Coordinates of all heavy atoms in Angstrom, one line a residue:
K1 N 11.5 -11.5 3.7 CA 12.8 -10.9 3.6 C 12.6 -9.4 3.7 O 11.6 -8.8 3.2 CB 13.5 -11.3 2.3 CG 13.6 -12.7 2.0 CD 14.7 -13.3 2.9 CE 14.9 -14.8 2.5 NZ 15.5 -15.5 3.4
K2 N 13.6 -8.7 4.3 CA 13.7 -7.3 4.3 C 14.8 -6.9 3.3 O 15.9 -7.3 3.4 CB 14.0 -6.7 5.7 CG 14.1 -5.2 5.7 CD 14.4 -4.8 7.2 CE 14.4 -3.3 7.3 NZ 14.7 -2.8 8.6
I3 N 14.4 -5.9 2.4 CA 15.3 -5.4 1.5 C 15.6 -3.9 1.8 O 14.7 -3.2 2.0 CB 14.7 -5.4 0.0 CG1 14.4 -6.9 -0.4 CG2 15.7 -4.8 -0.9 CD1 13.5 -6.9 -1.6
E4 N 16.9 -3.6 2.1 CA 17.3 -2.3 2.3 C 18.2 -1.9 1.1 O 19.2 -2.5 0.9 CB 18.1 -2.1 3.6 CG 17.3 -2.5 4.8 CD 18.1 -2.4 6.1 OE1 18.5 -1.3 6.5 OE2 18.5 -3.4 6.7
A5 N 17.7 -0.9 0.4 CA 18.4 -0.4 -0.8 C 18.9 1.1 -0.5 O 18.0 1.9 -0.2 CB 17.6 -0.5 -2.0
I6 N 20.2 1.3 -0.8 CA 20.7 2.7 -0.7 C 20.9 3.1 -2.2 O 21.7 2.5 -2.9 CB 22.1 2.7 0.1 CG1 21.9 2.0 1.4 CG2 22.5 4.1 0.2 CD1 20.9 2.6 2.4
I7 N 20.2 4.2 -2.6 CA 20.2 4.5 -4.0 C 20.4 6.1 -4.1 O 20.3 6.8 -3.2 CB 18.9 4.1 -4.8 CG1 17.7 4.9 -4.2 CG2 18.7 2.6 -4.7 CD1 16.5 4.7 -5.0
K8 N 20.7 6.5 -5.4 CA 20.8 7.9 -5.6 C 19.4 8.6 -5.5 O 18.4 8.0 -6.0 CB 21.3 8.2 -7.0 CG 22.9 7.7 -7.1 CD 23.4 8.1 -8.4 CE 24.9 7.8 -8.4 NZ 25.6 8.2 -9.6
P9 N 19.3 9.8 -4.9 CA 18.0 10.4 -4.7 C 17.1 10.5 -6.0 O 16.0 10.3 -5.9 CB 18.3 11.7 -4.2 CG 19.6 11.6 -3.5 CD 20.4 10.5 -4.4
F10 N 17.7 10.9 -7.1 CA 16.9 11.1 -8.3 C 16.4 9.8 -8.9 O 15.6 9.9 -9.9 CB 17.7 11.9 -9.4 CG 18.9 11.1 -10.0 CD1 18.7 10.4 -11.1 CD2 20.1 11.3 -9.3 CE1 19.9 9.7 -11.7 CE2 21.2 10.7 -9.9 CZ 21.1 9.9 -11.1
K11 N 16.7 8.6 -8.5 CA 16.3 7.3 -8.9 C 15.0 6.9 -8.1 O 14.4 5.9 -8.5 CB 17.3 6.3 -8.9 CG 18.4 6.5 -9.9 CD 17.8 6.3 -11.2 CE 18.8 6.1 -12.4 NZ 18.1 5.7 -13.6
L12 N 14.6 7.5 -7.1 CA 13.6 7.1 -6.2 C 12.2 6.9 -6.9 O 11.6 5.8 -6.8 CB 13.4 8.0 -5.0 CG 12.2 7.7 -4.1 CD1 12.3 6.3 -3.5 CD2 12.0 8.7 -3.0
D13 N 11.8 7.9 -7.7 CA 10.5 7.8 -8.3 C 10.5 6.6 -9.3 O 9.4 5.9 -9.4 CB 10.1 9.0 -9.0 CG 9.8 10.2 -8.1 OD1 9.4 9.8 -7.0 OD2 9.9 11.3 -8.4
E14 N 11.5 6.4 -10.0 CA 11.6 5.4 -11.0 C 11.5 3.9 -10.4 O 10.7 3.1 -10.8 CB 12.9 5.5 -11.8 CG 12.9 4.8 -13.1 CD 14.2 5.1 -13.9 OE1 14.8 6.3 -13.7 OE2 14.6 4.3 -14.7
V15 N 12.2 3.8 -9.2 CA 12.2 2.5 -8.5 C 10.8 2.3 -8.0 O 10.2 1.2 -8.0 CB 13.2 2.6 -7.4 CG1 13.1 1.3 -6.5 CG2 14.6 2.5 -8.0
K16 N 10.2 3.4 -7.3 CA 8.9 3.2 -6.6 C 7.8 2.8 -7.6 O 7.0 1.9 -7.4 CB 8.6 4.6 -6.0 CG 7.2 4.5 -5.2 CD 6.8 5.9 -4.7 CE 5.4 6.0 -4.9 NZ 4.9 7.0 -5.6
E17 N 7.8 3.6 -8.8 CA 6.8 3.2 -9.7 C 6.9 1.8 -10.3 O 5.8 1.2 -10.5 CB 6.8 4.2 -10.9 CG 6.4 5.6 -10.6 CD 6.7 6.7 -11.6 OE1 7.2 6.3 -12.8 OE2 6.6 7.8 -11.3
A18 N 8.1 1.3 -10.5 CA 8.3 0.0 -11.0 C 7.8 -1.0 -10.0 O 7.3 -2.1 -10.3 CB 9.7 -0.3 -11.4
L19 N 8.1 -0.7 -8.7 CA 7.7 -1.8 -7.6 C 6.2 -1.8 -7.5 O 5.6 -2.8 -7.3 CB 8.4 -1.3 -6.3 CG 9.9 -1.6 -6.2 CD1 10.4 -0.9 -4.9 CD2 10.2 -3.0 -6.2
V20 N 5.5 -0.6 -7.6 CA 4.0 -0.6 -7.5 C 3.5 -1.3 -8.6 O 2.5 -2.1 -8.5 CB 3.6 0.8 -7.4 CG1 2.1 0.9 -7.6 CG2 4.0 1.5 -6.0
E21 N 4.0 -1.1 -9.8 CA 3.5 -1.8 -11.0 C 3.6 -3.4 -10.9 O 2.8 -4.0 -11.4 CB 4.3 -1.3 -12.2 CG 3.8 -1.7 -13.6 CD 4.5 -1.1 -14.7 OE1 4.5 0.2 -14.8 OE2 5.1 -1.8 -15.5
A22 N 4.6 -3.8 -10.2 CA 4.8 -5.2 -9.9 C 4.1 -5.7 -8.8 O 4.3 -6.8 -8.3 CB 6.3 -5.5 -9.8
E23 N 3.2 -4.9 -8.2 CA 2.4 -5.2 -7.1 C 3.2 -5.5 -5.8 O 2.8 -6.3 -4.9 CB 1.4 -6.4 -7.4 CG 0.4 -6.1 -8.5 CD -0.5 -7.2 -8.8 OE1 -0.5 -8.2 -8.1 OE2 -1.3 -7.1 -9.8
I24 N 4.3 -4.8 -5.7 CA 5.1 -4.8 -4.5 C 4.9 -3.5 -3.8 O 5.4 -2.5 -4.2 CB 6.6 -5.0 -4.8 CG1 6.8 -6.4 -5.5 CG2 7.4 -5.0 -3.5 CD1 8.2 -6.6 -6.1
E25 N 4.0 -3.5 -2.7 CA 3.6 -2.3 -2.1 C 4.1 -2.2 -0.7 O 4.3 -3.2 -0.1 CB 2.0 -2.3 -2.1 CG 1.5 -2.1 -3.6 CD 0.0 -2.2 -3.6 OE1 -0.6 -2.7 -2.7 OE2 -0.6 -1.9 -4.7
G26 N 4.1 -1.0 -0.2 CA 4.5 -0.8 1.1 C 6.0 -0.6 1.2 O 6.8 -1.5 1.0
M27 N 6.5 0.6 1.5 CA 8.0 0.8 1.7 C 8.1 2.0 2.6 O 7.2 2.8 2.8 CB 8.5 1.1 0.3 CG 8.2 2.5 -0.3 SD 9.2 2.8 -1.8 CE 8.7 1.6 -2.9
T28 N 9.3 2.0 3.2 CA 9.7 3.2 4.0 C 10.9 3.8 3.3 O 11.8 3.1 2.8 CB 10.2 2.7 5.4 OG1 9.0 2.0 6.1 CG2 10.6 3.9 6.3
V29 N 10.9 5.1 3.2 CA 11.9 5.8 2.5 C 12.6 6.8 3.5 O 11.8 7.5 4.2 CB 11.4 6.5 1.2 CG1 12.5 7.4 0.6 CG2 10.8 5.6 0.3
S30 N 13.9 6.8 3.5 CA 14.5 7.8 4.4 C 15.6 8.6 3.7 O 16.2 7.9 2.8 CB 15.4 7.0 5.6 OG 14.4 6.2 6.3
E31 N 15.9 9.8 4.0 CA 16.9 10.5 3.4 C 18.1 10.2 4.3 O 18.1 10.5 5.5 CB 16.7 12.0 3.3 CG 15.5 12.3 2.4 CD 15.2 13.9 2.3 OE1 16.0 14.6 2.9 OE2 14.2 14.2 1.6
V32 N 19.3 9.8 3.7 CA 20.4 9.4 4.5 C 21.6 10.0 3.8 O 21.5 10.5 2.7 CB 20.5 7.9 4.6 CG1 19.4 7.2 5.4 CG2 20.7 7.2 3.2
K33 N 22.7 10.0 4.6 CA 24.0 10.4 4.0 C 25.0 9.3 4.2 O 25.0 8.7 5.2 CB 24.5 11.7 4.6 CG 23.6 12.9 4.3 CD 24.2 14.2 4.9 CE 23.2 15.3 4.5 NZ 23.8 16.6 5.0
G34 N 26.0 9.2 3.2 CA 27.0 8.2 3.4 C 28.0 8.3 2.3 O 27.9 9.1 1.4
Y35 N 28.9 7.4 2.3 CA 29.9 7.3 1.3 C 30.4 5.8 1.3 O 30.4 5.1 2.2 CB 31.0 8.2 1.3 CG 32.0 7.9 2.5 CD1 33.1 7.2 2.3 CD2 31.8 8.4 3.8 CE1 34.0 6.8 3.3 CE2 32.7 8.1 4.8 CZ 33.8 7.3 4.6 OH 34.7 7.1 5.6
G36 N 30.9 5.5 0.1 CA 31.5 4.2 -0.1 C 32.8 4.4 -0.9 O 33.6 5.2 -0.4
R37 N 32.9 3.8 -2.0 CA 34.1 4.0 -2.9 C 34.2 5.5 -3.4 O 35.3 5.9 -3.8 CB 34.1 3.0 -4.1 CG 34.3 1.6 -3.5 CD 34.5 0.7 -4.7 NE 34.6 -0.7 -4.2 CZ 34.5 -1.7 -5.0 NH1 34.1 -1.6 -6.2 NH2 34.7 -2.9 -4.4
Q38 N 33.1 6.2 -3.4 CA 33.1 7.6 -3.9 C 34.0 8.4 -3.0 O 34.7 9.4 -3.5 CB 31.7 8.1 -3.8 CG 30.8 7.7 -4.9 CD 29.5 8.3 -4.7 OE1 28.7 7.9 -3.8 NE2 29.1 9.3 -5.5
Q39 N 34.1 8.2 -1.7 CA 34.9 8.9 -0.8 C 34.5 10.4 -0.8 O 35.4 11.3 -0.4 CB 36.4 8.8 -1.1 CG 36.9 7.4 -1.1 CD 36.9 6.8 0.4 OE1 37.3 7.6 1.3 NE2 36.5 5.6 0.6
G40 N 33.4 10.8 -1.2 CA 33.0 12.2 -1.1 C 33.6 13.0 -2.2 O 34.1 12.5 -3.2
H41 N 33.5 14.4 -2.1 CA 34.2 15.3 -3.0 C 34.4 16.6 -2.4 O 34.0 16.9 -1.2 CB 33.2 15.4 -4.2 CG 31.9 16.1 -3.9 ND1 30.8 15.4 -3.3 CD2 31.5 17.4 -4.0 CE1 29.8 16.2 -3.1 NE2 30.1 17.4 -3.5
S42 N 35.1 17.5 -3.1 CA 35.5 18.8 -2.6 C 34.6 19.8 -3.3 O 34.2 19.7 -4.4 CB 36.9 19.1 -2.9 OG 37.8 18.2 -2.3

């Protein structure tokens, strides 16, 4: 399975460390922009 997760930038290190600790290795990380229900801000 391929997991694609869109998360807040400041949560990356926490997610990565937990995945490595669980022996889930190998990931690709991209900086992206988008919006959902947030609809952006002024």
Side-chain angles (χ1 to χ4, degrees):
K1 304 289 186 196
K2 179 180 183 181
I3 301 169
E4 294 179 72
I6 310 296
I7 65 171
K8 291 184 175 185
F10 66 89
K11 288 296 199 170
L12 175 61
D13 288 337
E14 202 173 331
V15 171
K16 182 187 141 235
E17 288 169 11
L19 288 168
V20 169
E21 191 174 300
E23 298 180 3
I24 299 170
E25 298 174 341
M27 71 172 64
T28 300
V29 176
S30 306
E31 293 180 7
V32 296
K33 293 183 179 188
Y35 72 91
R37 291 186 182 163
Q38 284 176 287
Q39 298 294 317
H41 63 280
S42 297

